[in-house]
Amino acid sequence: MADIEIEKKHSLDFNTAREQAKKWLESAKDKYGINANYVEGENEDNVTITRKGIDGKATLDENKIRFEATLGFLAKPLKGKIKDALESGLSKYFN
């Protein structure tokens, strides 16, 4: 079961949403040092995200982006801060 679950609807066309998702990931890589593997699909893109203590996945489709993360023992106390940072990033790129 995921420790963090976030779903954000968007009104962007799928190609624009894909571009925004990639910008969000690049920003997160620079700021938080995450590793991300982005796989484009015909109707849905999937991303696996890892960083010490955090394993996550994101799914992007034509209507929404959904993010789930499982936190390691040492990251659990930071759950609120991590969730706030994720929501802030999603709001910035999927406004």
Side-chain angles (χ1 to χ4, degrees):
M1 180 175 194
D3 295 304
I4 297 174
E5 295 182 43
I6 302 169
E7 185 172 295
K8 181 161 181 64
K9 294 185 185 271
H10 65 79
S11 58
L12 305 171
D13 66 81
F14 190 55
N15 286 330
T16 301
R18 178 179 280 159
E19 290 172 13
Q20 291 299 96
K22 289 178 180 180
K23 287 179 186 176
W24 174 56
L25 286 170
E26 284 301 315
S27 172
K29 283 180 185 179
D30 293 342
K31 191 169 185 176
Y32 302 109
I34 66 163
N35 295 311
N37 181 32
Y38 197 103
V39 178
E40 294 182 4
E42 188 174 327
N43 298 313
E44 179 179 278
D45 290 358
N46 293 286
V47 184
T48 53
I49 299 165
T50 56
R51 181 177 181 230
K52 187 174 181 176
I54 302 172
D55 289 311
K57 64 180 181 177
T59 305
L60 173 70
D61 65 29
E62 62 186 27
N63 299 313
K64 67 186 175 307
I65 186 165
R66 179 167 174 72
F67 182 85
E68 298 177 12
T70 302
L71 305 177
F73 179 74
L74 295 176
K76 284 189 189 280
L78 301 172
K79 178 180 175 180
K81 289 184 179 187
I82 294 168
K83 186 172 182 179
D84 289 346
L86 289 166
E87 288 176 336
S88 175
L90 287 173
S91 292
K92 179 179 178 180
Y93 291 95
F94 291 92
N95 198 3

